[in-house]
Amino acid sequence: MEQFLTFGLVGLSTAAIYAVIGSGLVLTYTTTGVFNFAHGAAGMMAAFTYWQLTIGWGVPVVVALPLVLLVLAPLSGLLVERAMRTVQRLGEAERLVMTVALLSGLIAAARWIWDPNKARTLPAFFAEMTPLRLGSATITWHQALTMAVAVAVAIGLRLLLFRTRTGAEMRAGVDDRALVGLTGADPVRANRVAWILGIELAAVGGILIAPMVNLDAAQLSLLIVSAYTAAVFGRLRSLPMTFFGAVVVGCLESYLAGYLPQNAYLPGLRLAAPALLLFLALLVFPHGRLRGRDRQLSQVPTPTLRGTLVFGAVVVLFGLILATVLGESDLISYGRIFAFGVIALSFVPLAGYAGQLSLCQLSMAGIGAIAYAHLGPHGQAWALPVAVLIAAAAGAVIALPALRLSGVYLALGTAAFAVVLDRWIFTLPSFEVLGVRIALFDQGSIELTGPGLFGLRLDSTAEITVFAAVCLALAGLGVVLLRRGRFGRRLIALRDSEAAYATLGGNLLLAKVSVFALSAGIAGLGGALYGMQLRSVTADQFNFVAGLPIFLVAVFAGLGAIGAGLFVGVALFGPLTAVPALWPSTQNLVEVVPALAGIAFGGGVVRAGAVARLRAGWNPVFYDRLALGLLIGVPVLLWLLRLAEVIDGWVLFCGSLIAALVVRGWARSRQRPHAEPEVPVEWWGVRRPWRAQDREVLDHAVVTAG
């Protein structure tokens, strides 16, 4: 009984911290309509800053603590509020991208500022004081402090939200900002207060929990999963239920640590327990309509077969050029363009066509890599399609919860699934089921080799690079055929309105299971190609945090664009790999770039997607046969000269770039201006793109007619 009470007190002290962090998350969501995935990262930055002041620079605690909590945290809240203001009334994808970008960026920035290879710890508050006795159990002053802070936060938030005018403005602003403004209130000020308080509570929780764990950027940021679980208990709006959920999570972690049997299979379960509980809570608890769930859906273009075939040929040609020009070490770095392009392409049918948000695509890629490694250790050709099918089956499992989840809840569910795989499933040693031995990463790395096709063994890095390029081209062609077919049109209808889709006879179960399975299968293919490229992979290469940049750049590229896959691959393993290779001091800087791109997208820099913008800029070349021939012919000629060792790689790269820009300018000059055909007003936005001035024209016509 004494041990049970001790573990209970430890769990309650941890629960108090989760309650503080979770209440800040609920406060922000309830008052602004934005679910802040970066909430835990804000607490992480506060903890690191507090460590730097107290341990790194020797600033007294009585000075450092107010500086972090009363100066730096409110300033951070103001900055976040200013960044979020532009996306607060946009669709779910834009809001999600902004907060995920902040999460990824803050983790990268913390690793840049504080060397992750150096161990850091924070002392507990009042560590020198004698612990309190509670019967046969003891409670430290730090634990007592956390509980007292949680009680104070609960009382303070209740009074603020329901006993003050500011609280009423904060709660009303998310429903109708314009109406709140008509009452004389200032919704911007209310949002600002909400963000400041939310970041403040994250900072308090981060500093309180830091003495219990090592200061690691990713670990501290993902402790927020426990706070996510507490917030979901409160259905993202009830503070009392959030505190109850925090108690459940904290005690569950404590009792699992104390009573979980000691064997090789269960340690990861304790680490994954909050994510697993979050996943179960999302499935069990009823969820009302999400606040601010109105979406501004972008159009999904229908690619032409001719354009897709040309694009596929360019992708394969690009792979051939890389394979024949680059050396072995460079190919390992840059050849990943195509493998990650396939993984990123998996977002197109899932999020771009069907509108289903997923943050576990890299985990699906890991399943594909595991399956291929164990089924085809000697490069058996049949192992690759079977690995794709296994990844697709895992995707179908995720689709079942997706039947009752959407938007932020679905993103939380897929994130929880990814964290469970990271912390538990991928760390399991081999085991047997019905006499069949099953091995994953087997607590180490797995070896992969290229497949044997048509009597040829693809075992060199160059051959695998070309094979990956061919796979990306074929996968892109398959997604285009899907978009042009009946099932693609059904997915677009599903994205537009699930209720209307079901009302008109659509089968939601079949549609969601099919698109999740298809998307996971594509990601699994990319994971297998990635493993072939590196020859050996570990579980850390497929974790949740590693998958965030892929999601961010994919959204930046445009989720409905077939070229998004190649764009992501080039963006992550083109300049972002070349620049640190030339200037090693920029390594940390380029790791922040994907997050900055996500923030730029959220701010409206690339609303239509970068691929669509690029396509529009290069259309004069694509529709001019002579210009298109020069665009392809000049790099091919330079490539042949490079193979003949007449020129070097830099001349090939710079010459191709200069030729492309010159051809583009020449093609634009050859364009003849032509009058745009008249389109009836009822077809604006259908037969021609909707323009910003169209609304003004229509309003003027209505007023005139009246």
Side-chain angles (χ1 to χ4, degrees):
M1 186 62 186
E2 178 181 346
Q3 189 180 29
F4 182 85
L5 182 59
T6 300
F7 287 135
L9 289 174
V10 172
L12 288 176
S13 64
T14 307
I17 299 174
Y18 293 157
V20 170
I21 300 175
S23 61
L25 191 65
V26 171
L27 172 69
T28 304
Y29 181 77
T30 303
T31 56
T32 68
V34 177
F35 187 89
N36 186 13
F37 272 87
H39 196 71
M44 175 270 297
M45 290 297 291
F48 269 99
T49 304
Y50 178 71
W51 177 92
Q52 185 64 52
L53 290 172
T54 56
I55 306 300
W57 294 341
V59 177
V61 172
V62 294
V63 176
L65 196 60
L67 181 60
V68 173
L69 296 181
L70 302 180
V71 179
L72 298 180
L75 287 176
S76 300
L78 288 174
L79 291 175
V80 174
E81 185 276 332
R82 185 64 185 86
M84 292 298 175
R85 192 184 304 171
T86 57
V87 300
Q88 187 169 337
R89 285 303 176 188
L90 296 179
E92 290 170 356
E94 287 85 351
R95 298 197 298 270
L96 177 65
V97 165
M98 178 66 85
T99 58
V100 170
L102 284 174
L103 169 62
S104 178
L106 289 176
I107 291 175
R111 288 173 171 172
W112 181 3
I113 299 170
W114 294 280
D115 183 4
N117 297 317
K118 179 181 177 181
R120 295 177 178 84
T121 56
L122 267 175
F125 288 101
F126 309 115
E128 70 282 356
M129 297 182 64
T130 304
L132 301 172
R133 299 291 300 181
L134 188 63
S136 57
T138 60
I139 179 172
T140 66
W141 282 93
H142 183 93
Q143 292 171 331
L145 175 65
T146 59
M147 297 180 191
V149 169
V151 172
V153 166
I155 296 173
L157 289 179
R158 183 72 183 182
L159 294 176
L160 172 67
L161 291 176
F162 297 97
R163 293 289 187 271
T164 66
R165 178 177 175 82
T166 300
E169 292 176 357
M170 291 165 62
R171 289 184 289 114
V174 70
D175 294 324
D176 194 326
R177 291 168 60 89
L179 184 60
V180 171
L182 291 176
T183 65
D186 186 353
V188 175
R189 181 189 62 194
N191 276 9
R192 192 175 293 131
V193 172
W195 280 109
I196 290 175
L197 288 177
I199 299 300
E200 183 78 23
L201 292 174
V204 170
I207 292 174
L208 288 176
I209 203 170
M212 304 179 184
V213 296
N214 289 325
L215 284 178
D216 177 80
Q219 181 183 359
L220 269 177
S221 298
L222 291 184
L223 282 174
I224 192 63
V225 172
S226 301
Y228 287 167
T229 308
V232 168
F233 265 77
R235 292 187 286 178
L236 302 183
R237 58 178 180 268
S238 170
L239 288 174
M241 286 301 296
T242 298
F243 274 70
F244 172 73
V247 172
V248 172
V249 176
C251 291
L252 176 67
E253 288 183 345
S254 181
Y255 287 126
L256 283 177
Y259 294 108
L260 202 65
Q262 298 297 317
N263 63 54
Y265 300 96
L266 294 180
L269 176 60
R270 182 182 66 82
L271 299 176
L276 191 59
L277 185 60
L278 170 60
F279 194 73
L280 295 176
L282 287 167
L283 296 181
V284 173
F285 292 162
H287 305 295
R289 188 184 74 87
L290 285 173
R291 289 179 176 266
R293 200 181 153 199
D294 298 332
R295 297 181 296 176
Q296 297 181 0
L297 298 173
S298 58
Q299 293 184 349
V300 180
T302 304
T304 63
L305 286 178
R306 174 181 175 274
T308 303
L309 292 174
V310 171
F311 175 73
V314 170
V315 171
V316 175
L317 177 62
F318 183 35
L320 282 171
I321 292 175
L322 290 183
T324 53
V325 170
L326 299 180
E328 182 75 12
S329 60
D330 288 335
L331 269 181
I332 293 176
S333 298
Y334 299 104
R336 291 178 287 176
I337 287 174
F338 306 104
F340 272 76
V342 175
I343 297 173
L345 185 65
S346 68
F347 284 106
V348 174
L350 182 64
Y353 295 170
Q356 305 297 309
L357 299 176
S358 174
L359 296 178
C360 66
Q361 292 305 99
L362 191 61
S363 300
M364 297 297 101
I367 292 175
I370 292 170
Y372 177 75
H374 292 294
L375 294 175
H378 304 295
Q380 293 91 329
W382 57 266
L384 187 59
V386 174
V388 170
L389 291 176
I390 292 175
V397 172
I398 301 176
L400 297 178
L403 290 174
R404 67 184 310 271
L405 302 177
S406 62
V408 169
Y409 291 131
L410 182 55
L412 279 171
T414 54
F417 187 83
V419 173
V420 170
L421 291 178
D422 298 345
R423 295 181 175 179
W424 183 27
I425 303 301
F426 283 168
T427 65
L428 291 174
S430 60
F431 56 93
E432 289 190 0
V433 176
L434 300 177
V436 178
R437 181 178 179 273
I438 298 176
L440 303 177
F441 287 98
D442 208 9
Q443 298 180 315
S445 62
I446 52 175
E447 309 292 328
L448 295 92
T449 185
L453 297 174
F454 309 110
L456 299 175
R457 171 58 62 84
L458 306 179
D459 53 3
S460 70
T461 306
E463 291 170 342
I464 293 173
T465 299
V466 176
F467 177 64
V470 172
C471 288
L472 176 58
L474 292 177
L477 177 61
V479 172
V480 168
L481 294 176
L482 171 72
R483 172 65 183 90
R484 295 173 61 86
R486 183 179 182 183
F487 184 60
R489 293 191 294 271
R490 286 178 175 269
L491 292 181
I492 299 296
L494 176 69
R495 181 194 70 147
D496 292 342
S497 174
E498 292 185 10
Y501 179 83
T503 302
L504 295 175
N507 189 321
L508 285 176
L509 173 61
L510 180 61
K512 288 194 174 184
V513 169
S514 298
V515 73
F516 267 94
L518 172 65
S519 175
I522 296 173
L525 172 62
L529 295 172
Y530 177 42
M532 295 178 202
Q533 194 79 34
L534 297 183
R535 308 294 178 143
S536 174
V537 289
T538 64
D540 286 341
Q541 291 168 300
F542 298 98
N543 64 34
F544 171 68
V545 174
L548 295 180
I550 303 175
F551 173 76
L552 292 176
V553 181
V555 177
F556 180 80
L559 292 174
I562 299 301
L566 182 63
F567 184 95
V568 172
V570 172
L572 293 179
F573 298 101
L576 296 187
T577 299
V579 171
L582 296 174
W583 299 284
S585 60
T586 63
Q587 176 65 46
N588 291 313
L589 177 62
V590 298
E591 290 181 358
V592 185
V593 170
L596 294 178
I599 294 172
F601 172 81
V605 174
V606 190
R607 290 280 171 83
V611 172
R613 289 287 183 91
L614 289 173
R615 173 62 188 258
W618 287 87
N619 270 340
V621 179
F622 299 148
Y623 292 117
D624 188 320
R625 291 187 178 181
L626 180 58
L628 183 60
L630 289 174
L631 181 66
I632 298 176
V634 172
V636 171
L637 177 61
L638 293 175
W639 172 44
L640 295 176
L641 292 176
R642 174 67 184 89
L643 293 179
E645 299 185 354
V646 176
I647 60 175
D648 60 14
W650 282 108
V651 174
L652 169 62
F653 172 75
C654 296
S656 299
L657 180 60
I658 293 172
L661 296 176
V662 170
V663 168
R664 179 189 177 188
W666 180 65
R668 284 184 170 183
S669 67
R670 282 165 53 88
Q671 270 191 321
R672 296 180 180 179
H674 57 278
E676 185 178 275
E678 185 69 24
V679 178
V681 64
E682 61 269 19
W683 290 102
W684 289 1
V686 179
R687 291 185 178 175
R688 70 163 176 78
W690 179 264
R691 300 168 182 167
Q693 62 269 28
D694 288 346
R695 181 180 297 278
E696 182 179 349
V697 173
L698 292 178
D699 290 342
H700 178 74
V702 171
V703 172
T704 304

